[in-house]
């Protein structure tokens, strides 16, 4: 829960239950985090997982991970930074830079890696800013910006992205150069101080002063005020003002507001003289922090004030529980070895973790001040952990129980040892390096976060390291070979692991599968993103290749090879050998009923019978759309109109010799159903056919197992006009000629590829009908069944294709039976 903030760092209060522990505040420098920059100011992020540190010399923002206590990422930007603050909802980090009218906005969607910043133009016509606080409410931030050169404050609304105005005024004239800003815990007031001790507060929501000016310069002999921090202490709200002298002075101002007046709260009620808290040499007000934690002997919360003494190189710790009481408030402890903390260089965790972070500008580091256990991984695997167990060497500053966890918590969660799976436990003695053996079977390929937690009484310390598991991937499965004309086809199943890079296909003319062939070198590389197949060509027909495949991960680890298979390139008669088809058939060019036929038959049938049944059902439905005889016989001068249907079984003799040889000794049967409308000697109709044939690839000398087949499916559809030559009133035989336009849908499946599409052709037909009703006495067929003619038909057709690709031209011989109503 966030309670208060200071000018350059998030002063965030929390509660920590210590039980029997007598230490009630961060009491020592437990460890140091090295940095790659010279730090200027820091803030702890909303979940306490990350510290955001500005570089004092250039445009850099470094993110420090407090799980591993190490740098996580760096974001570069233009300009030299001056101050930073979070949005109210914690999703944006604002940074003030030395460029006029500019504030940078960093998106923290991934808190570990801020996005490159966008620049917010404040619109102040050349004003540069020094300090920043963020007031307002979640989603309605107000940036409070100070300018020492202008002796002014500016309020900028992120809701409207405009300066907040009071009439024509877009600024607050402070009356002095504000060296430090701080926001009250309730976000309602902003406190500002000058270097000579002038102090004012302002409303955070409007351009107006909240109380009278307070001049602390008269209360001390030397005025070198460096900062202000407003926080909650002893049940009230106080401003802590630091005077950077020797010895240092911390003045307290009670910010209880009555008639816009500010009241000084004396540290010692027995005297009327203002008596500051005396701390070490050279404190800066911006370095005063509070950490709210429970005392060991009471259930009430207590606030502790930390003053970083730059000259003395120490932290002064003040218990603020008795502010306003009879006793003089003085430091209760001093923490050594905290040197050269810059203004804005302290940051504290907001929860009960009890971590205080002090920047060291000269040493380019962060001191971790805490009473929690502090763990250090002294040695970790520098390369892949492989399989089996691996060792970590760990040291702790206290005795406790170590838990090693494969950490799976996300970057926007608070650190907890429940966010992961426990790998092992061990006991550690204080300041003694211990070797911990850790099993790796539960780690994933790639980078894994290994978190270590040390329980010591009621306290829990932590650290983490990243370890990489990088084992060779398994060999590909499903490896198979097939052959083609001057080709060898290799295929395998993809290895489904996250870090796979590519496959190596090794081949040669000996069983070692090395050496390649001709101009083809071995191995050939196939990327993981491509199909898991490779065509080796050109390979001389009759040449046998030996082939094996391995898989390689992104680190270069190569798997064991598949078994070595052999195959021989041979002349093949696969349908796709005939032409390179591109396929495609526009549905708009085909009547709806024909599109239905194509749709139903576009999925290759596993059984010819099932496909034929689908075709007949669709064609039967189509027959209901035939023009009825009554619609064509409205006048006696019009010849009688009759409907006809016929079923034929034929044999296709392709013009292309390779296509013809595909069928071997048979299998080229085609089934056709025709519907027609006859008027006089002319017959207009539509017919649809179905053809499907499987055939094994030719090349038996290769010694392959049978089962790899090619399948060719044709669905020819024809619109035709037929002329019947009738001689006599009741001819026994009726010769006819026919011409038609064909649309032939084709679908080809082969072991390594498939194609489908449509071809266009014209067909000319000649044939004869044998009228079977001549052999039936009486008019039984007509009277009982409405059949006018019952005929046996024999015809021969020649189809000529006029589109490119697979050639479906050729002769078709068909006998059939038909009826005419």
């Amino acid at each position: 829960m966030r309670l208060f903030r200071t000018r350059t760092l998030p002063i965030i209060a929390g509660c920590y239950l210590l039980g029997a522990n007598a230490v009630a505040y961060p009491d020592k420098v437990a460890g140091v985090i090295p940095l790659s920059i010279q730090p200027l100011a820091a803030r702890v992020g909303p979940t306490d997982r990350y510290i955001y540190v500005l570089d004092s010399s250039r445009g850099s923002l470094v993110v420090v991970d407090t799980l591993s206590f190490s740098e996580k990422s760096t974001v570069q930007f233009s300009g030299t930074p001056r101050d930073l603050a979070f949005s109210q909802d914690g999703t944006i980090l604002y940074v003030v830079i030395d460029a006029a009218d500019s504030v940078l906005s960093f998106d923290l969607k991934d808190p570990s890696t801020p996005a490159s910043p966008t620049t917010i133009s404040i619109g102040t016509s050349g004003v540069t800013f020094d300090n920043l606080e963020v007031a307002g409410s979640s989603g309605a931030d107000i940036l409070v910006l100070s300018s020492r050169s202008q002796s002014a404050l500016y309020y900028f609304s992120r809701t409207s992205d405009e300066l907040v105005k009071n009439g024509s005024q877009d600024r607050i004239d402070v009356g002095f150069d504000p060296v430090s800003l701080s926001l009250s815990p309730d976000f309602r007031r902003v406190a500002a101080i000058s270097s000579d001790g002038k102090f004012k507060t302002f409303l955070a929501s409007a351009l107006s002063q909240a109380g009278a000016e307070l001049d602390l310069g008269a209360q001390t002999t030397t005025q070198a005020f460096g900062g202000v921090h407003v926080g909650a202490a002893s049940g009230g709200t106080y401003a802590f003002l630091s005077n950077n002298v020797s010895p240092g002075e911390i003045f307290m101002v009670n910010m209880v507001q009555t008639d816009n007046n500010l009241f000084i709260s004396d540290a010692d009620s027995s005297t009327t003289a203002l008596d500051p808290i005396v701390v070490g040499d050279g404190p800066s007000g911006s370095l005063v922090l509070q950490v709210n934690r429970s005392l060991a002997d009471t259930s009430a919360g207590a606030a502790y004030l930390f003053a970083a003494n730059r000259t003395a190189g120490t932290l002064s710790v003040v218990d603020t529980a008795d502010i306003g009481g009879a006793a003089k408030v003085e430091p209760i402890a001093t923490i050594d070895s905290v040197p050269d903390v810059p203004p804005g260089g302290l940051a504290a965790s907001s929860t009960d973790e009890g971590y205080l972070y002090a920047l060291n500008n000269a040493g380019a580091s962060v001191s971790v001040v805490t009473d929690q256990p502090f763990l250090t991984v002294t040695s970790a695997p520098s390369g892949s952990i492989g399989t089996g167990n691996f060792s970590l060497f760990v040291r702790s500053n206290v005795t406790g129980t170590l838990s090693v966890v494969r950490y799976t918590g996300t970057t926007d969660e608070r650190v907890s040892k429940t966010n992961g799976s426990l790998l092992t436990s061990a006991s550690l003695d204080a300041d003694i390096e211990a070797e911990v053996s850790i099993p790796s079977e539960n780690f994933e390929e790639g980078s894994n976060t290994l978190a270590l937690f040390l329980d010591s009484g009621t306290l829990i310390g932590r650290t983490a390291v990243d370890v990489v598991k990088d084992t060779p991937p398994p060999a590909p499965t499903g490896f198979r070979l097939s052959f083609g004309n001057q080709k060898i086809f290799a295929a395998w199943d993809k290895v489904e692991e996250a870090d796979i890079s590519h496959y190596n296909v090794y081949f040669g003319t000996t069983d070692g599968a090395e050496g390649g062939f001709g101009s083809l070198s071995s191995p050939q590389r196939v990327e993981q993103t491509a199909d898991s197949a490779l065509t080796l060509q050109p390979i001389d027909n009759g040449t046998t290749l030996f082939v094996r495949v391995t898989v390689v991960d992104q680190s270069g680890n190569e798997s064991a090879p598949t078994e070595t298979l052999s195959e021989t390139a041979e002349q093949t008669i696969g349908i796709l050998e005939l032409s390179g088809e591109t396929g495609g058939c526009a549905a708009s060019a085909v009547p709806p009923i024909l599109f239905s036929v194509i749709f139903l038959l576009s999925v290759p049938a596993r059984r010819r019978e099932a496909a034929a049944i689908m075709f007949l059902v669709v064609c039967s439905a189509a027959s209901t759309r035939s023009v009825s005889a009554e619609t064509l016989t409205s006048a006696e001068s019009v010849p009688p109109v009759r409907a006809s249907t016929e079923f034929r079984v034929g044999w296709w003799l392709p013009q292309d010799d390779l296509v013809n040889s595909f069928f071997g000794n048979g299998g080229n049967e085609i089934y056709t159903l025709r519907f027609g409308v006859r008027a006089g000697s002319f017959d207009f109709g539509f017919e649809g056919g179905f053809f499907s044939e499987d055939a094994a690839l030719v090349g038996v000398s290769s010694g392959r197992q049978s089962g790899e087949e090619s399948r060719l499916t044709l669905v020819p559809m024809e619109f035709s006009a037929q002329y019947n030559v009738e001689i006599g009133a009741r001819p026994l035989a009726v010769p006819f000629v026919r011409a038609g336009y064909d649309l032939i849908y084709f679908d080809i499946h082969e072991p390594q590829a498939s194609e489908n599409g449509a071809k266009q052709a014209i067909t000319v037909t000649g044939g004869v009908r044998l009228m079977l009703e001549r052999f039936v006495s009486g008019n039984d067929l007509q009277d009982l069944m409405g059949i006018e003619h019952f005929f046996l038909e024999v015809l021969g057709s020649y189809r000529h294709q006029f589109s490119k690709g697979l050639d479906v031209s050729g002769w078709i011989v068909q006998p059939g039976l038909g009826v005419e109503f």
Side-chain angles (χ1 to χ4, degrees):
M1 180 175 64
R2 176 180 173 184
L3 297 180
F4 59 90
R5 307 165 66 188
T6 187
R7 178 182 69 83
T8 58
L9 34 115
I11 309 307
I12 304 175
C15 183
Y16 190 84
L17 301 178
L18 291 179
N21 187 6
V23 179
Y25 52 85
D27 64 341
K28 56 184 173 296
V29 176
V32 176
I33 307 171
L35 296 177
S36 61
I37 63 171
Q38 298 297 318
L40 169 71
R43 297 234 182 184
V44 177
T47 65
D48 297 324
R49 170 75 184 268
Y50 299 103
I51 311 170
Y52 300 84
V53 185
L54 293 177
D55 192 335
S56 64
S57 60
R58 62 184 186 273
S60 296
L61 173 68
V62 170
V63 182
V64 176
D65 188 351
T66 66
L67 174 59
S68 60
F69 293 107
S70 62
E71 285 191 17
K72 180 69 175 180
S73 62
T74 301
V75 182
Q76 304 290 341
F77 54 87
S78 298
T80 301
R82 295 184 171 183
D83 200 2
L84 73 166
F86 290 101
S87 64
Q88 290 290 316
D89 61 7
T91 62
I92 297 174
L93 178 66
Y94 299 106
V95 173
V96 172
I97 58 175
D98 60 351
D101 303 317
S102 298
V103 173
L104 301 182
S105 172
F106 294 80
D107 187 344
L108 298 181
K109 184 177 181 180
D110 180 357
S112 68
T113 310
S116 296
T118 58
T119 301
I120 303 171
S121 180
I122 304 301
T124 50
S125 303
V127 175
T128 56
F129 307 111
D130 300 287
N131 301 118
L132 167 68
E133 287 289 346
V134 180
S137 58
S138 180
D141 295 334
I142 295 178
L143 308 187
V144 181
L145 301 158
S146 69
S147 172
R148 297 187 63 181
S149 63
Q150 302 296 315
S151 298
L153 298 183
Y154 299 86
Y155 290 11
F156 185 83
S157 170
R158 288 311 317 275
T159 303
S160 62
D161 274 345
E162 294 179 342
L163 286 169
V164 177
K165 293 186 178 182
N166 183 4
S168 61
Q169 297 297 315
D170 61 1
R171 55 184 277 176
I172 300 176
D173 291 318
V174 178
F176 53 76
D177 60 329
V179 296
S180 179
L181 291 182
S182 184
L183 191 67
S184 65
D186 59 8
F187 313 116
R188 295 176 59 187
R189 284 172 290 171
V190 179
I193 192 171
S194 67
S195 60
D196 59 359
K198 293 182 175 62
F199 175 78
K200 286 184 180 180
T201 61
F202 306 89
L203 295 179
S205 58
L207 299 180
S208 60
Q209 188 170 328
E213 178 180 308
L214 180 65
D215 188 356
L216 297 177
Q219 308 297 327
T220 183
T221 57
T222 304
Q223 297 85 34
F225 287 86
V228 57
H229 160 62
V230 180
S234 191
T237 300
Y238 292 84
F240 299 93
L241 314 171
S242 63
N243 193 17
N244 187 12
V245 294
S246 178
E249 299 172 331
I250 303 294
F251 290 88
M252 295 177 294
V253 177
N254 187 343
M255 291 184 62
V256 175
Q257 186 174 339
T258 304
D259 296 328
N260 289 329
N261 293 319
L262 296 173
F263 295 89
I264 297 176
S265 179
D266 195 348
D268 185 352
S269 59
S270 65
T271 176
T272 58
L274 190 64
D275 194 4
I277 303 171
V278 178
V279 294
D281 294 345
S284 172
S286 62
L287 305 182
V288 178
L289 292 179
Q290 288 176 302
V291 176
N292 280 2
R293 306 186 69 187
S294 297
L295 291 170
D297 55 357
T298 178
S299 60
Y304 293 89
L305 186 69
F306 292 84
N309 307 303
R310 301 186 67 182
T311 305
T314 62
L315 279 177
S316 295
V317 186
V318 179
D319 185 353
T320 64
D322 292 328
I323 288 179
K328 178 176 173 56
V329 178
E330 295 288 1
I332 62 173
T334 298
I335 301 174
D336 295 325
S337 303
V338 188
D340 196 28
V341 180
L346 286 184
S349 58
S350 63
T351 64
D352 57 6
E353 294 180 323
Y355 286 99
L356 183 68
Y357 305 103
L359 303 183
N360 182 352
N361 186 39
S365 63
V366 181
S367 296
V368 181
V369 182
T370 184
D371 58 351
Q372 300 274 33
F374 195 82
L375 284 167
T376 304
V377 177
T378 57
S379 179
S382 58
S384 169
I385 61 175
T387 58
N389 292 0
F390 64 96
S391 293
L392 288 181
F393 291 87
V394 185
R395 182 185 295 271
S396 171
N397 62 348
V398 297
T399 298
T401 301
L402 180 71
S403 299
V404 182
V405 174
R406 179 176 170 266
Y407 198 74
T408 56
T410 60
T411 59
D412 57 354
E413 292 179 321
R414 297 190 184 279
V415 174
S416 171
K417 70 177 181 180
T418 61
N419 293 334
S421 55
L422 180 66
L423 300 177
T424 190
S425 299
S427 296
L428 296 186
D429 293 325
D431 299 320
I432 296 178
E433 184 179 73
E435 181 180 3
V436 181
S437 179
I438 301 169
S440 63
E441 59 265 20
N442 292 328
F443 285 77
E444 294 181 351
E445 285 291 314
S447 181
N448 296 262
T449 298
L450 188 66
L452 295 86
F453 297 90
L454 187 86
D455 291 79
S456 179
T458 59
L459 303 178
I460 301 178
R462 70 195 188 208
T463 192
V465 292
D466 288 332
V467 294
V468 176
K469 185 176 183 178
D470 195 10
T471 57
T477 59
F479 178 47
R480 54 206 180 270
L481 295 178
S482 58
F483 72 97
N485 184 25
Q486 296 187 333
K487 301 179 183 71
I488 298 294
F489 301 101
W492 56 92
D493 297 335
K494 280 193 175 183
V495 176
E496 299 298 339
E497 288 189 2
D499 65 339
I500 298 302
S501 170
H502 64 278
Y503 301 86
N504 285 332
V505 180
Y506 295 87
F507 61 97
T509 56
T510 64
D511 56 7
E514 294 285 356
F517 179 82
S519 61
L520 298 177
S521 60
S522 173
Q524 294 282 306
R525 176 172 171 145
V526 178
E527 300 297 331
Q528 171 75 348
T529 55
D531 292 334
S532 54
L534 177 67
T535 301
L536 298 170
Q537 61 178 338
I539 307 296
D540 295 341
N541 286 340
T543 299
T544 298
L545 287 188
F546 295 84
V547 187
R548 55 187 172 90
V549 179
T550 63
V551 59
V552 182
D553 65 19
Q554 294 175 0
S555 299
N557 296 314
E558 188 169 14
S559 73
T562 62
E563 62 176 325
T564 299
L565 300 179
S566 63
E567 187 55 277
T568 304
E570 299 287 350
Q571 176 68 45
T572 61
I573 309 300
I575 296 300
L576 289 182
E577 287 287 318
L578 307 179
S579 61
E581 294 293 339
T582 58
C585 178
S588 60
V590 185
I593 185 60
L594 299 186
F595 180 76
S596 300
V597 174
I598 294 174
F599 175 76
L600 284 173
L601 293 178
S602 62
V603 179
R606 297 302 179 191
R607 294 178 58 87
R608 180 182 304 162
E609 295 84 349
I613 291 171
M614 286 194 298
F615 180 78
L616 291 175
V617 169
V618 174
C619 288
S620 296
S623 68
T624 63
R625 301 178 58 87
S626 300
V627 180
S628 65
E630 289 76 11
T631 61
L632 298 179
T633 58
S634 58
E636 291 182 359
S637 60
V638 178
V641 176
R642 305 187 186 280
S644 65
T645 182
E646 55 187 294
F647 177 76
R648 301 192 300 269
V649 177
W651 289 266
W652 176 36
L653 303 175
Q655 177 177 286
D656 190 298
D657 291 337
L658 288 176
V659 175
N660 190 45
S661 63
F662 173 82
F663 303 126
N665 295 325
N668 55 342
E669 300 90 358
I670 190 165
Y671 303 88
T672 303
L673 189 64
R674 185 176 191 275
F675 298 91
V677 176
R678 180 178 176 184
S681 297
F682 289 91
D683 189 341
F684 302 91
F686 164 75
E687 66 184 55
F690 180 78
F691 163 87
S692 182
E693 179 58 25
D694 296 340
L697 294 174
V698 174
V700 294
S701 63
S702 67
R704 281 194 327 167
Q705 296 293 325
S706 62
E708 291 190 347
E709 296 180 333
S710 291
R711 177 182 298 112
L712 172 63
T713 300
L714 296 178
V715 182
M717 291 163 286
E718 179 178 303
F719 296 88
S720 61
Q722 176 176 309
Y723 180 75
N724 300 297
V725 182
E726 296 186 344
I727 303 174
R730 294 188 64 200
L732 175 63
V734 178
F736 63 89
V737 292
R738 181 189 302 163
Y741 166 80
D742 289 38
L743 182 66
I744 303 100
Y745 174 82
F746 72 93
D747 186 83
I748 301 171
H749 277 264
E750 288 199 338
Q752 304 300 328
S754 63
E755 292 286 349
N756 58 60
K759 299 299 178 185
Q760 303 175 65
I762 56 174
T763 300
V764 293
T765 302
V768 62
R769 286 180 175 176
L770 181 63
M771 313 307 284
L772 298 181
E773 73 268 15
R774 290 286 301 275
F775 301 96
V776 179
S777 61
N779 295 320
D780 293 345
L781 291 176
Q782 176 68 35
D783 295 340
L784 297 178
M785 304 177 62
I787 296 176
E788 179 69 22
H789 297 297
F790 179 42
F791 55 86
L792 174 67
E793 185 175 83
V794 179
L795 58 85
S797 302
Y798 182 80
R799 178 188 295 141
H800 174 69
Q801 176 180 316
F802 52 89
S803 59
K804 296 180 180 180
L806 177 71
D807 193 354
V808 296
S809 300
W811 287 96
I812 302 174
V813 179
Q814 295 177 296
L817 289 173
V819 293
E820 186 175 287
F821 300 91

